[in-house]
Amino acid sequence: MRTEGLRKVYRRGQDGLVALEGLDLTVGRGEFFGLLGTNGAGKSTTIGMLTTLITPTAGSAWVAGREVAADPVGVKSRIGVVPQANTLDRALSVRDNLAFRGRYFGMSASAARRRALELLEQFALTDKAEARAHQLSGGQARRVMIGRALMHLPEVLFLDEPTAGVDPQAREDLWRIIGSLHEGGQTVVLTTHHLDEAEALCRRLAVIDHGRLLACDTPEAIKATSGAQTVLTVRYDAAAHAVGDAVRRIPGGPHDVAVDGPTVRVRTTRPDGVLGHLLREAGAAGLTVRDAATTPPSLQTAFLTLTGRDYQP
């Protein structure tokens, strides 16, 4: 999968809302790739253009070897899409939701039934084969939708916020299922605004904010190269403004020191020795340390560094 200068502007009268600005991406065969960003960042717009649902304003995209604009039918036949909303047909059984999708892609009735039963067994849904959509839990419905998207053995599977609105146990189950698909060689493109989900599942990530690509690499590389900061937090037995002032005076020291009553929080890209200063200054100020913690660079701190603001899903 590849995009070059992909851009989308939604027109509102004389004004235009830029949803995506000049996106350049390459995703390899068999890769698990994530689009990470807050709501409204441009993730779903990107997926919409890659899956032929949204027409780009400018730029080009190729999916499964086909140019999206020139051959949308060819692209649709080679991809599976799981949208955010539950789009299961409420009038059909779970098995028929899958089998009808197979028929739509040209499978014979018998082949579609066999494939549907295989997927129901793979996703531990055999006992729900005759159930209707309204009888499923949120997690079960997501599993059915993933199975439906896989009916025709797509080259690329697109998952748009696949764990939105499901409970924690169902979320872990979905993680396991999606991970096993990738281990089996499936190319997966996932959008998510959950930092832990992105870090747990994706081998590479594109961080998108306000329609712009800010970083594209492995989660580890993004944390290492973004200038993401280590956070040191120390809580004392009394107000610690004197400690905060002293730490701010460290030569070549921390980038940011915040004092909230008895708590001092230091964000820095050079953490060596800072905790020692916090402890020594406590003694000089006659304070007792209640607890201390060091949080290494994370996607949360990387996002803060890249965008200049805290990550808010």
Side-chain angles (χ1 to χ4, degrees), residues 44 81-89 101 138 141-142 144-146 148 159-165:
S44 293
V81 183
V82 180
Q84 293 185 43
N86 184 339
T87 57
L88 296 175
D89 190 323
R101 178 58 61 92
R142 289 287 176 180
V144 174
M145 290 171 64
I146 293 172
R148 185 181 62 179
L159 302 171
D160 194 5
E161 304 284 358
T163 63

Side-chain angles (χ1 to χ4, degrees), residues 116-200:
L117 292 175
E118 289 173 3
L119 289 165
L120 290 175
E121 182 175 359
Q122 179 180 349
F123 293 157
L125 289 165
T126 303
D127 61 333
K128 298 294 182 181
E130 299 303 324
R132 296 298 192 267
H134 70 274
Q135 297 173 308
L136 303 174
S137 67
Q140 289 169 341
R142 289 287 176 180
R143 281 148 57 194
V144 174
M145 290 171 64
I146 293 172
R148 185 181 62 179
L150 293 170
M151 275 294 297
H152 60 298
L153 300 172
E155 293 182 39
V156 185
L157 177 64
F158 290 93
L159 302 171
D160 194 5
E161 304 284 358
T163 63
V166 303
D167 62 68
Q169 182 58 57
R171 192 165 174 247
E172 289 187 13
D173 291 342
L174 288 168
W175 281 16
R176 184 171 60 255
I177 288 169
I178 296 168
S180 68
L181 291 173
H182 173 248
E183 290 172 2
Q186 179 70 58
T187 303
V188 181
V189 178
L190 168 130
T191 75
T192 182
H193 61 262
H194 294 295
L195 294 165
D196 58 342
E197 186 163 276
E199 192 156 12

Side-chain angles (χ1 to χ4, degrees), residues 69-84:
D71 188 9
V73 174
V75 170
K76 287 179 182 178
S77 69
R78 290 164 173 79
I79 63 174
V81 183
V82 180
Q84 293 185 43

